[in-house]
Amino acid sequence: MTFTIEHDPREEAATIYNDLNPAQVEAVQQTEGPILVLAGAGTGKTRVLTTRLAHLLQSGRAMPGQILAVTFTNKAAQEMKQRVSDAMGGAAVEGWWLGTFHSLAARMLRHHAPLVGLSSNFTILDSDDQIRLVKQLMEARDMDVKNNPPKAVAAQISSWKDKGKNPSEIRPEEVGDLANGQSLALYKAYQDRMKTLNACDFGDLLLHMITILKDPNNAIVLDDYHRRFKYLLVDEYQDTNVAQYLWLRLLAKGSNNICCVGDDDQSIYGWRGAEVDNILRFEKDFSGAKIVRLEENYRSTGHILSAANGVIGNNTDRLGKELFTSAGAGEKVSVRGLWDGAAEARWVGEEVEALQNKGDSLNQMAVLVRTGFQMREFEERFIQLGLSYRVIGGPRFYERKEIRDALAYLRVIMQSHDDLALERIINTPKRGLGDATIQTLYKHARAKIISLYQAIIDLTQTEELKPKVRGTLMKLIDDFERWKSLVDSTHHSEIAATVLDESGYNAMWQADKAPDSPGRLENLKELVSAMDEFESLAEFLEHIALVLENNSNNDGEFITLMTLHGAKGLEFDIVFLPGWEEGLFPSQRSMDENGLKGLEEERRLAYVGITRARRKSFISYVANRRMYGSWVNAIPSRFVDELPEENIEIASESGLYAPGRSNHWDSSGFGGHAGFKTEKRGHIDLERTSTDGTYSMGDRVFHDKFGNGTIIHIDGSKLDIKFDQAGNKRVMDSFISKAS
């Protein structure tokens, strides 16, 4: 295909460079050799990418087919294509290699499939197909798929592929005890079966191309791509996994003209395979690499940016940059300490209403939480106030699958004739009840004009059903009768917890190795906690029905509720960041599993959250939070301490800890008057003794919840303790005593 240059290259400065700052111009014009565009939040990286592409085409440096441009979503690819066309005066740009990693790798593999034992018309399997195939392989080996979930094995196989590893490249220490230590053997069998089926999964698309391009016998293939691609451009480089990195390295060895755009400070997807090290070692990987830092922010005010800079500056694994703006200082970041989660939700609701009264739109407000279970209290409060809201990245709290399943169990306990509820959970978790069994039950129920529950009771007394099915149904009815007998004698939240355990529902999600399974378990615990606010199970279920009815309103403006992970790439005028407490944010689980690496990713998440705000940013923490069915005495997140004092305004309810104060409890105690007391925060130096000298490094101490431990670090009144049984925890010195 012939590409015609529509514009005189001498006119470029007047066409595509309009409104670019000097750093952006440098990133566009540095076309030869490797370049890393370190693009901070809100610094116009998309404009740089599209302008660079237009520059390469308009200047005649490359034809469209000589450019490989990689994005992370198809939507981003289409937007980039349109923007480049617009930048070039509407010229159609066709024939180039623009798309996601998987789409581009699939395009290549169609040409070279025989080199890995496939035909060019191979099928691409989705995740459900992948799990089904793993299950078949496990059953062929007489493996117990109930205690060794195929989904977990499929996830392990995908993880190995994301690391660019074929079965022959897996070391023994990487295998572990998953599937009774047979995960590697299953991976080999899986790959063999895929070739028989002439199929690939998404991981194979890159893995097969890496295998082909690395093989010296296929040198002609790699040479062809080296001749073909004069320039490579990669967006969101900080989110690449190992396989994506290896594929890019192989392709870039030809021209060495690779431009990667990303931000190490916004690498927040390590839990799904992203490797921040890919961007950190760019200069080492590509000799002679140049780094261009985009630091002028066009989104946020000065105080917001300085607050974000102050937090992220505490990370050690970063290339370093300092965001600034010419838009003025704006308002300081508001930091609030509150008594508990309910008070936090009330305060956010009051602030939202006050901002509305001043003319701010709900559409430009967002509440960004660390984890999904936090949303419930905000949803409840917004409904009480009549504030319309939307949940992005997932359903509303009471509309989530795990919550609806749990509610279905409770509905059957209260009303055994609720056929819709019983049908929802009759085979959840799996009880070996097929569609034929359900249809038999319904047929009997319709014939006798009785409920599904009564039909089960009837048919367990006859021979219509197989003995094993009858036994399963009899146990289910016995369970429900036992749970119903607890209603008059046991608190309804305890009943809910009992049902979730005894039904096997909690165990089902504990065995599920999907990334969202821990979050589902957290949501279930939050549901149980929420029930304490109601007098009875009947009152709670009535409340839920009204909540779901209120959720049906889709008109007008909405405040946005979403997780911090889901908010990356978005921006709002006003952002609320609740739950900044140790253990919740940063996440204790993340730190326990990944150590310092996990902490630094949590800090990058805080940076992402702060920089979503254009004009106003509100951060809050509480002294007491109901988590997983019990109250937790919370202390403010270390990220609160890292906010520069000149960029924030702290106010805490009387009696609550204010970060950086030498006396962390207000003298009036918890029984003080309501309202806020504004405190100017000072810095706490890291010392070897606690604020009042009571505790020192190495002291043996006791905590009511965590037991005995040894102090390993002191930060004023906050102590890092290595507990004998509970591991490393950060606690307030007021909650421990000297071990006897």
Side-chain angles (χ1 to χ4, degrees):
M1 166 176 247
T2 303
F3 178 76
T4 303
I5 299 175
E6 301 272 343
H7 303 275
D8 185 333
R10 292 170 297 181
E11 298 176 358
E12 278 190 299
T15 55
I16 65 174
Y17 290 153
N18 291 344
D19 301 323
L20 294 185
N21 65 41
Q24 291 173 330
V25 171
E26 183 181 8
V28 169
Q29 291 185 335
Q30 182 70 39
T31 58
E32 307 310 304
I35 175 173
L36 173 63
V37 180
L38 202 59
T43 56
K45 68 147 178 120
T46 303
R47 171 176 286 185
V48 167
L49 267 172
T50 54
T51 305
R52 183 181 174 90
L53 280 166
H55 171 65
L56 291 172
L57 296 171
Q58 218 171 47
S59 65
R61 286 178 172 81
M63 307 278 279
Q66 295 174 315
I67 299 174
L68 179 76
V70 190
T71 64
F72 263 81
T73 65
N74 289 312
K75 181 181 178 183
Q78 291 303 313
E79 288 179 354
M80 187 177 296
K81 183 175 181 180
Q82 184 59 51
R83 287 197 184 200
V84 172
S85 177
D86 292 343
M88 299 179 62
V93 182
E94 301 294 343
W96 60 359
W97 289 65
L98 168 63
T100 64
F101 281 97
H102 288 127
S103 66
L104 293 171
R107 182 176 172 182
M108 290 180 174
L109 190 57
R110 295 287 181 194
H111 292 287
H112 311 295
L115 296 176
V116 286
L118 298 170
S119 299
S120 60
N121 63 342
F122 60 80
T123 301
I124 300 176
L125 304 185
D126 60 22
S127 57
D128 288 341
D129 294 328
Q130 184 182 6
I131 294 168
R132 193 178 305 114
L133 177 55
V134 170
K135 183 180 180 182
Q136 291 172 4
L137 294 170
M138 294 177 72
E139 289 174 340
R141 291 168 175 254
D142 295 324
M143 296 181 67
D144 182 358
V145 296
K146 184 176 181 180
N147 294 319
N148 298 283
K151 191 173 184 179
V153 177
Q156 177 63 78
I157 291 172
S158 292
S159 176
W160 279 328
K161 291 183 179 183
D162 286 345
K163 291 180 171 64
K165 292 190 175 184
N166 284 296
S168 61
E169 298 170 303
I170 306 298
R171 299 189 305 272
E173 60 268 24
E174 296 179 76
V175 177
D177 57 4
L178 180 65
N180 299 326
Q182 296 189 56
S183 55
L184 178 55
L186 287 167
Y187 183 16
K188 293 175 182 176
Y190 177 89
Q191 292 301 87
D192 290 341
R193 182 63 177 155
M194 292 289 272
K195 288 184 179 180
T196 301
L197 296 172
N198 191 37
C200 293
D201 59 29
F202 282 100
D204 283 325
L205 299 174
L206 279 165
L207 183 63
H208 284 327
M209 280 311 306
I210 292 169
T211 301
I212 291 169
L213 297 175
K214 284 198 310 183
D215 190 343
N217 295 321
N218 302 325
I220 189 172
V221 176
L222 184 58
D223 289 343
D224 179 63
Y225 284 116
H226 285 169
R227 286 191 298 269
R228 182 191 302 265
F229 299 131
K230 293 180 65 176
Y231 297 96
L232 287 78
L233 286 85
V234 187
D235 192 14
E236 302 288 5
Y237 189 59
Q238 78 282 345
D239 293 334
T240 52
N241 61 33
V242 174
Q244 292 162 346
Y245 161 81
L246 293 173
W247 181 74
L248 287 169
R249 286 279 322 265
L250 287 163
L251 293 173
K253 284 182 178 178
S255 68
N256 206 35
N257 293 331
I258 182 170
C259 172
C260 294
V261 181
D263 183 2
D264 54 332
D265 291 334
Q266 295 188 75
S267 180
I268 59 174
Y269 298 123
W271 49 275
R272 67 184 189 196
E275 287 283 347
V276 68
D277 287 345
N278 291 350
I279 192 170
L280 294 177
R281 63 168 179 254
F282 187 86
E283 287 180 289
K284 182 179 179 181
D285 287 338
F286 299 99
S287 178
K290 182 176 181 61
I291 295 181
V292 176
R293 288 172 169 79
L294 304 185
E295 298 174 299
E296 184 172 359
N297 178 282
Y298 296 96
R299 175 190 300 158
S300 307
T301 60
H303 281 306
I304 290 173
L305 295 180
S306 294
N309 288 335
V311 172
I312 200 63
N314 289 276
N315 270 4
T316 55
D317 283 343
R318 63 190 296 258
L319 295 171
K321 62 183 177 308
E322 196 84 3
L323 297 183
F324 68 92
T325 181
S326 58
E331 297 184 28
K332 290 186 176 183
V333 174
S334 177
V335 181
R336 293 293 182 270
L338 299 122
W339 175 251
D340 58 18
E344 184 178 52
R346 286 194 300 271
W347 171 71
V348 170
E350 290 166 2
E351 290 291 339
V352 169
E353 288 190 313
L355 290 164
Q356 263 193 307
N357 291 335
K358 293 178 182 177
D360 286 303
S361 167
L362 281 181
N363 287 338
Q364 289 302 323
M365 301 183 204
V367 180
L368 308 181
V369 297
R370 172 61 183 87
T371 189
F373 82 83
Q374 292 175 257
M375 293 186 187
R376 183 195 62 82
E377 285 187 304
F378 294 103
E379 291 190 48
E380 299 263 17
R381 187 59 183 166
F382 292 164
I383 289 169
Q384 291 173 9
L385 296 174
L387 291 172
S388 297
Y389 70 95
R390 61 187 165 197
V391 175
I392 304 297
R396 299 171 188 242
F397 184 82
Y398 290 114
E399 294 172 349
R400 295 172 186 180
K401 171 181 167 44
E402 64 275 14
I403 301 301
R404 283 191 176 275
D405 287 347
L407 292 174
Y409 274 101
L410 299 177
R411 283 166 55 187
V412 175
I413 290 172
M414 288 304 298
Q415 170 58 274
S416 58
H417 301 313
D418 190 337
D419 287 0
L420 292 175
L422 181 55
E423 183 183 0
R424 180 181 181 94
I425 49 83
I426 193 171
N427 202 36
T428 303
K430 297 291 185 185
R431 299 185 173 93
L433 304 175
D435 291 340
T437 299
I438 307 301
Q439 289 305 314
T440 300
L441 294 171
Y442 263 121
K443 183 178 180 180
H444 178 71
R446 287 193 296 268
K448 296 295 184 179
I449 317 178
I450 57 177
S451 68
L452 183 62
Y453 193 93
Q454 186 60 49
I456 294 174
I457 294 175
D458 288 354
L459 292 180
T460 54
Q461 311 303 317
T462 64
E463 303 295 325
E464 281 87 359
L465 301 174
K466 295 178 180 179
K468 184 177 180 181
V469 172
R470 286 204 310 275
T472 298
L473 290 172
M474 288 175 68
K475 181 181 184 308
L476 182 62
I477 292 297
D478 288 345
D479 286 342
F480 271 113
E481 291 299 316
R482 183 176 68 259
W483 297 331
K484 285 195 285 186
S485 71
L486 300 174
V487 171
D488 294 329
S489 60
T490 307
H491 193 276
H492 44 283
S493 64
E494 292 182 34
I495 294 174
T498 299
V499 170
L500 292 171
D501 281 336
E502 293 184 354
S503 67
Y505 194 78
N506 277 339
M508 179 186 78
W509 289 117
Q510 288 164 354
D512 192 307
K513 301 303 180 183
D516 62 349
S517 296
R520 292 184 188 274
L521 288 165
E522 289 175 354
N523 291 337
L524 291 169
K525 291 172 182 176
E526 176 64 15
L527 175 71
V528 173
S529 297
M531 297 175 69
D532 282 341
E533 301 172 16
F534 300 87
E535 292 296 325
S536 66
L537 180 56
E539 181 184 329
F540 174 69
L541 291 174
E542 181 177 321
H543 168 76
I544 300 307
L546 295 173
V547 166
L548 294 174
E549 175 64 23
N550 285 332
N551 283 352
S552 63
N553 177 24
N554 292 317
D555 300 325
E557 297 183 345
F558 300 85
I559 185 171
T560 297
L561 257 173
M562 65 192 308
T563 64
L564 285 161
H565 281 104
K568 185 172 174 290
L570 303 179
E571 56 187 70
F572 305 88
D573 283 348
I574 300 155
V575 170
F576 293 89
L577 301 167
W580 281 40
E581 299 126 36
E582 284 293 306
L584 178 56
F585 190 43
S587 161
Q588 189 64 48
R589 186 172 68 214
S590 180
M591 292 188 290
D592 288 345
E593 292 176 357
N594 302 295
L596 180 60
K597 230 178 152 178
L599 172 60
E600 295 216 337
E601 181 157 315
E602 291 287 301
R603 188 174 280 115
R604 293 194 290 270
L605 198 54
Y607 170 85
V608 167
I610 297 171
T611 55
R612 296 313 93 195
R614 296 190 194 100
R615 295 192 292 110
K616 294 176 183 287
S617 182
F618 297 86
I619 294 172
S620 56
Y621 59 87
V622 303
N624 307 277
R625 189 173 292 280
R626 182 87 168 173
M627 291 179 67
Y628 316 141
S630 60
W631 285 99
V632 175
N633 297 116
I635 60 173
S637 167
R638 68 191 75 193
F639 302 154
V640 175
D641 276 336
E642 293 168 0
L643 294 163
E645 61 179 295
E646 62 271 19
N647 302 117
I648 63 174
E649 177 188 35
I650 288 186
S652 62
E653 285 186 333
S654 181
L656 298 192
Y657 173 86
R661 295 170 56 192
S662 59
N663 178 12
H664 55 263
W665 298 109
D666 189 276
S667 59
S668 61
F670 286 114
H673 62 82
F676 292 96
K677 180 175 182 181
T678 303
E679 299 287 341
K680 183 175 180 181
R681 189 185 67 118
H683 288 293
I684 295 179
D685 293 326
L686 301 182
E687 301 177 3
R688 296 190 61 81
T689 59
S690 57
T691 303
D692 60 4
T694 304
Y695 300 104
S696 301
M697 297 273 284
D699 281 355
R700 292 287 291 173
V701 294
F702 176 78
H703 188 281
D704 286 340
K705 179 178 179 181
F706 304 126
N708 290 312
T710 303
I711 297 175
I712 58 174
H713 182 76
I714 295 176
D715 184 357
S717 55
K718 291 177 285 187
L719 310 177
D720 289 328
I721 300 174
K722 183 176 182 180
F723 288 100
D724 298 346
Q725 302 298 324
N728 292 357
K729 306 287 183 185
R730 172 171 280 205
V731 300
M732 292 296 302
D733 59 8
S734 56
F735 291 101
I736 64 168
S737 59
K738 290 282 183 74
S740 56

